[in-house]
């Protein structure tokens, strides 16, 4: 993950006594001479490379499970077929079978994996997938023969067993993989999982990528249209490529139409226009990709890639994808469910104390912004005599008259946040992530702090990097919120499971040693 700070926050966060964040620059190959791209009306060369992670609108955990299963399936089919045939032929108990099984396992794991990404496999034609499996299977058999020859095993092999296995495995493997891909297309690649896409700039690169998205619905990219300052008469778009307006209208269109992804296709000579566009989009949670001929900006998590033969730079995207996202979600489920079970007696006692000492509900339901800026409802133990959830909310202050007696104790130790473990189980929140702010605060600060909404590229958390760095509780000064946003974006840039575990451990002493919880 890139350690490049977001430019908007870099310009805004100026903490007294704190050194400025280090700046780095994404280095890409020199592309001062743009590559010659074929005409969009010509038939493009078949290519199925998709190096950026395939993200879905929903069901990202299910997608990660599928891709994990697909990665493990070839080796599993190979090993299980060998074992079943050995049992049927009575050779499983022979002395050499264990050694053969170990060798087959190692070769299956290393040689049967596709060199392409799961997304590329998903969109590839069935013939291409089948041929690839046959080629890798032939390489495995050849490697097994060489190892057997060197180790002196051939005379002791059960030749009928090995011949049956060599034929039966691909006969089972190819239909299994094709079936998995078909299930994925029907379950994951549905219209409800599609991400809305627009292009900033109408040129060869953007036209080609839009056409390829339309041909490969499995990528779940639904193109809405193009923004360009040139007129339709000059650009001559095709019937299925809609011009939506000039670039100046793009930010407003993104907000009103819940756009998920923007591909920027402006040339390097328009670098100022690109930077101005990025600054305006800092008030959104949209994912940003650049179709180079260019090195630009210092957007967080920038990395290069390719989508169906078109080079792209991912400038702003969620770090939680694929196996990483699934692992983080699994960690959240384990910790949240375990914590709820272990603290159930305490939670019941707190609920009873709240009910007996003040009027009102036990749980306070508050609207917050969640992943991609979508509104969610989170739970807290009620600690005040009021349950405000409209407009600008006055944050709790020292000796705040609204806080109840039991509420003061709960807020002091952050026990009022415990019901948010239910939000974690629901998938609305994570254990670790940027803290969710009230809707009123969000609407105010997004106008004051550039890049504020970028923190919503990940689910909000019960605790976070900003909290262990001391930026917990009220933010009476704009500088306090700027610092919190700075650490939230640092978390996005440097995220790892180890960082999550570290934040969890360091959160515990902060619960009992703070002067900012009123």
């Amino acid at each position: 993950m890139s350690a490049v700070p977001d430019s908007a926050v870099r310009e805004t966060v100026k903490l007294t006594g704190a050194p400025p964040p280090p700046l780095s620059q994404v280095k890409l190959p020199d592309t001062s001479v743009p590559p010659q791209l074929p005409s969009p009306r010509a038939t493009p060369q078949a290519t199925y490379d998709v190096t950026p992670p395939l993200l879905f609108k929903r069901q990202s955990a299910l997608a990660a499970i599928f891709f994990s299963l697909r990665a493990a399936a070839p080796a599993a089919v190979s090993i299980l077929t060998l074992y079943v045939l050995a049992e049927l032929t009575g050779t499983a108990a022979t002395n050499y079978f264990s050694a053969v099984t170990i060798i087959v396992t190692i070769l299956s794991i290393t040689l049967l994996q596709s060199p392409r990404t799961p997304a590329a496999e998903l969109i590839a034609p069935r013939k291409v997938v089948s041929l690839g499996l046959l080629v890798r299977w032939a390489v495995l058999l050849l490697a097994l023969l060489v190892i057997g020859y060197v180790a002196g095993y051939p005379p002791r092999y059960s030749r009928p067993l090995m011949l049956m296995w060599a034929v039966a495995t691909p006969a089972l493997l190819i239909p299994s993989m094709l079936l998995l891909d078909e299930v994925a297309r029907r379950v994951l690649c549905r219209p409800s999982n599609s991400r809305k896409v627009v292009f900033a700039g109408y040129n060869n690169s953007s036209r080609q990528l839009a056409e390829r998205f339309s041909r490969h619905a499995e990528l779940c990219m639904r193109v809405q249209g193009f923004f360009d300052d040139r007129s339709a008469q000059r650009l001559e778009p095709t019937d299925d490529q809609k011009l939506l307006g000039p670039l100046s209208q793009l930010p407003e269109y993104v907000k009103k139409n819940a756009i998920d992804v923007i591909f920027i296709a402006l040339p390097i000579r328009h670098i100022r226009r690109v930077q101005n566009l990025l600054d305006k989009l800092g008030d959104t949670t949209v994912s940003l990709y650049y179709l180079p001929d260019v090195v630009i900006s210092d957007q967080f998590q920038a990395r290069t890639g390719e989508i169906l033969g078109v080079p792209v730079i991912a400038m702003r995207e969620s770090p939680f994808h694929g196996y990483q996202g699934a692992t983080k979600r699994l960690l959240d489920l384990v910790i949240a469910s375990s914590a709820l079970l272990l603290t159930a007696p305490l939670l019941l006692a707190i609920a009873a104390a709240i009910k007996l000492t003040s009027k009102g509900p036990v749980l306070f339901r508050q609207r917050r912004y969640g992943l991609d800026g979508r509104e969610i409802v989170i739970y807290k133990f009620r600690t005040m005599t009021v349950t405000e959830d409209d407009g600008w909310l006055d944050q709790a202050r020292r000796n705040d008259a609204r806080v109840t007696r039991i509420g003061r104790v709960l807020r002091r130790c952050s026990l009022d946040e415990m019901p948010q473990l239910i939000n974690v189980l629901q998938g609305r929140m994570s254990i670790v992530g940027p803290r969710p702010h009230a809707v009123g605060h969000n609407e105010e600060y997004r106008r004051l702090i550039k890049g504020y909404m970028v923190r919503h590229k990940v689910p909000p958390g019960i605790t976070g990097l900003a909290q262990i760095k001391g930026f917990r509780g009220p933010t009476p000064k704009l500088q306090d919120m700027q610092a919190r946003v700075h650490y939230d974006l640092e978390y996005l840039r440097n995220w790892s499971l180890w960082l999550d575990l570290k934040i969890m451990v360091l959160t515990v002493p902060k619960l009992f040693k703070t002067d900012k919880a009123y």
Side-chain angles (χ1 to χ4, degrees):
M1 186 179 298
S2 170
V4 184
D6 184 84
S7 60
V9 177
R10 168 175 56 79
E11 294 172 1
T12 317
V13 178
K14 297 179 181 177
L15 303 178
T16 304
L23 296 179
S24 59
Q25 195 171 26
V26 182
K27 296 186 181 299
L28 299 173
D30 179 41
T31 55
S32 55
V33 180
Q36 295 298 316
L37 296 174
S39 168
R41 292 174 174 80
T43 303
Q45 183 179 0
T47 177
Y48 308 104
D49 291 331
V50 182
T51 55
L54 183 57
L55 301 182
F56 298 94
K57 186 82 172 181
R58 300 176 180 84
Q59 297 180 324
S60 56
L62 182 62
I65 292 173
F66 162 74
F67 290 135
S68 300
L69 179 62
R70 196 188 192 287
V77 171
S78 171
I79 297 164
L80 287 174
T81 303
L82 178 62
Y83 179 77
V84 170
L85 290 175
E87 286 288 342
L88 293 176
T89 57
T91 57
T94 57
N95 294 331
Y96 70 88
F97 182 74
S98 297
V100 172
T101 302
I102 293 173
I103 295 172
V104 167
T105 300
I106 295 173
L107 292 178
S108 298
I109 293 174
T110 56
L111 297 180
L112 290 182
Q113 286 295 322
S114 172
R116 296 180 301 191
T117 63
E121 287 286 281
L122 193 61
I123 66 173
R126 293 174 178 82
K127 290 182 179 180
V128 174
V129 174
S130 302
L131 182 60
L133 286 169
L134 286 175
V135 170
R136 294 193 294 276
W137 181 247
V139 172
L140 183 149
L141 292 178
L142 180 61
L144 185 61
L145 288 174
V146 171
I147 293 173
Y149 178 78
V150 173
Y153 276 112
R156 304 177 61 186
Y157 274 3
S158 172
R159 292 183 180 180
L161 168 64
M162 302 310 294
L163 287 174
M164 285 190 293
W165 174 69
V167 174
T169 300
L172 294 173
L173 180 58
I174 292 175
S176 300
M177 301 305 292
L178 295 179
L179 177 61
L180 277 176
D181 289 344
E182 188 61 30
V183 170
R185 292 186 186 99
R186 293 179 180 272
V187 175
L188 297 176
C189 305
R190 294 181 295 180
S192 60
N193 253 355
S194 295
R195 304 171 84 197
K196 293 183 179 179
V197 175
V198 295
F199 289 87
Y202 187 80
N203 55 28
N204 279 347
S205 295
S206 59
R207 288 196 302 259
Q208 280 191 351
L209 190 54
E211 288 176 354
R212 295 176 188 188
F213 280 152
S214 67
R215 286 199 303 271
H216 295 287
E218 301 93 334
L219 291 176
C220 286
M221 293 286 198
R222 186 150 44 98
V223 178
Q224 306 298 299
F226 300 75
F227 284 85
D228 200 292
D229 289 336
R230 295 168 293 176
S231 66
Q233 291 77 12
R234 182 179 174 185
L235 295 174
E236 298 182 355
T238 59
D239 294 338
D240 57 344
Q241 295 174 342
K242 183 179 180 182
L243 286 178
L244 301 173
L247 291 171
S248 60
Q249 297 178 4
L250 175 58
E252 190 65 25
Y253 182 89
V254 167
K255 296 175 185 178
K256 289 184 177 180
N257 294 275
I259 299 302
D260 301 294
V261 186
I262 297 176
F263 287 90
I264 300 175
L266 300 175
I268 183 64
R269 63 181 179 274
H270 295 156
I271 184 65
R272 287 191 177 277
R273 296 171 65 197
V274 174
Q275 190 60 60
N276 290 337
L277 184 60
L278 292 177
D279 289 341
K280 293 177 181 178
L281 292 172
D283 187 33
T284 70
T285 62
V286 66
S287 296
L288 295 175
Y289 288 81
Y290 191 82
L291 305 182
D293 58 340
V294 61
V295 173
I296 68 166
S297 189
D298 52 353
Q299 296 290 312
F300 84 89
Q301 208 194 345
R303 59 185 184 274
T304 60
E306 177 184 342
I307 299 178
L308 300 173
V310 179
V312 299
I313 302 171
M315 295 172 9
R316 183 199 295 172
E317 188 57 278
S318 170
F320 306 151
H321 53 75
Y323 311 119
Q324 295 177 325
T327 305
K328 179 176 174 65
R329 179 63 181 148
L330 178 61
L331 182 65
D332 282 342
L333 291 174
V334 170
I335 293 179
S337 56
S338 301
L340 283 172
L341 288 174
L342 292 174
T343 61
L346 174 62
L347 298 180
L348 291 174
I350 292 173
I354 293 173
K355 197 66 178 176
L356 293 173
T357 56
S358 62
K359 295 181 179 179
V362 170
L363 292 180
F364 173 38
R365 295 170 174 83
Q366 190 173 38
R367 294 176 298 117
R368 301 285 174 98
Y369 281 173
L371 179 64
D372 289 331
R374 294 191 290 269
E375 193 173 286
I376 61 173
V377 174
I378 68 168
Y379 308 128
K380 300 176 67 173
F381 280 127
R382 182 176 58 82
T383 58
M384 291 185 172
T385 56
V386 296
T387 54
E388 299 171 336
D389 190 28
D390 293 315
W392 178 269
L393 304 182
D394 289 331
Q395 294 176 316
R397 302 175 295 275
R398 190 182 298 275
N399 300 320
D400 196 316
R402 298 172 299 169
V403 180
T404 63
R405 285 180 299 171
I406 187 67
R408 204 170 304 281
V409 175
L410 296 178
R411 297 174 74 93
R412 190 73 179 174
C413 300
S414 295
L415 291 174
D416 60 319
E417 311 283 355
M418 290 295 287
Q420 289 170 27
L421 292 169
I422 300 174
N423 293 130
V424 174
L425 294 181
Q426 292 172 328
R428 299 177 186 173
M429 295 182 65
S430 177
I431 298 294
V432 180
R435 284 291 298 156
H437 300 149
V439 170
H441 295 161
N442 262 24
E443 293 304 318
E444 179 70 17
Y445 285 123
R446 71 188 298 176
R447 293 193 292 267
L448 299 175
I449 303 176
K450 289 184 178 180
Y452 176 87
M453 291 300 289
V454 177
R455 67 198 297 274
H456 295 286
K457 289 303 297 178
V458 298
I462 296 178
T463 185
L465 183 61
Q467 282 62 48
I468 67 169
K469 293 293 185 180
F471 295 96
R472 174 195 176 197
T475 52
K477 300 178 181 179
L478 179 62
Q479 187 183 47
D480 295 329
M481 184 59 78
Q482 290 171 340
R484 183 180 292 182
V485 171
H486 165 69
Y487 283 113
D488 288 340
L489 298 185
E490 281 294 312
Y491 172 74
L492 266 66
R493 283 189 288 270
N494 302 299
W495 175 80
S496 67
L497 287 175
W498 169 247
L499 178 60
D500 273 6
L501 293 172
K502 180 181 177 181
I503 291 173
M504 291 180 202
V505 172
L506 294 179
T507 295
V508 176
K510 293 288 183 179
L511 298 177
F512 305 99
K513 187 180 180 181
T514 181
D515 56 353
K516 293 187 177 182
Y518 306 133

